[in-house]
Amino acid sequence: MTADQLAVLCRRLADDTDAVRTSPEVKALAASIVGRVRDGRALDELTDEFDELEILLLRAGHAAGLSPVRSYERFPGAGDGHRVLEVLACPSGVCARIEAPGAEPVFCVALRQPMVVTRLRS
């Protein structure tokens, strides 16, 4: 996975407003990783550093982390990319169903309860 993480890090580094460029702790670790890669360090030797960077990003609320399957790009018009997104989710949290909120309430048929508003951060 480290090659995929490096690809995501590279894309994130190209964005001047991304946390890997703006958050001091994240930036320092990202710079250290990139420096080691430039010096010819094998990617499999950097697994711990990539994992640490992933944890720092997730703790800072950047749900994208370094996973290639997550989207880290900001939505157009979302400013700094850290807007709260609201979705409707399972009222008991046992299933993965989500719906977009609307004017009409959405009900969970299985539990016979309205779905609950859940806030996500980008």
Side-chain angles (χ1 to χ4, degrees):
M1 173 107 159
T2 307
D4 291 336
Q5 290 173 312
L6 179 60
V8 173
L9 176 57
C10 186
R11 282 193 301 270
R12 292 188 76 155
L13 284 167
D15 180 353
D16 291 339
T17 64
D18 193 278
V20 297
R21 303 271 311 264
T22 60
S23 171
E25 187 178 16
V26 174
K27 182 179 179 179
L29 183 54
S32 173
I33 291 170
V34 170
R36 292 175 186 182
V37 170
R38 286 182 189 143
D39 290 341
R41 179 76 63 91
L43 291 181
D44 62 348
E45 295 177 19
L46 297 173
T47 301
D48 291 342
E49 289 84 353
F50 277 107
D51 289 346
E52 184 180 346
L53 184 59
E54 174 89 7
I55 289 167
L56 287 176
L57 287 167
L58 295 174
R59 281 186 187 155
H62 301 279
L66 291 176
S67 173
V69 297
R70 298 177 187 143
S71 173
Y72 68 89
E73 294 179 20
R74 294 180 308 277
F75 290 111
D80 66 3
H82 299 286
R83 301 293 184 249
V84 173
L85 173 66
E86 292 185 343
V87 297
L88 299 176
C90 174
S92 67
V94 296
C95 82
R97 179 182 174 200
I98 61 168
E99 299 286 341
E104 299 292 321
V106 178
F107 285 87
C108 168
V109 177
L111 299 176
R112 296 184 182 152
Q113 296 176 9
M115 294 184 71
V116 296
V117 174
T118 300
R119 291 180 169 206
L120 307 173
R121 282 185 48 155
S122 63

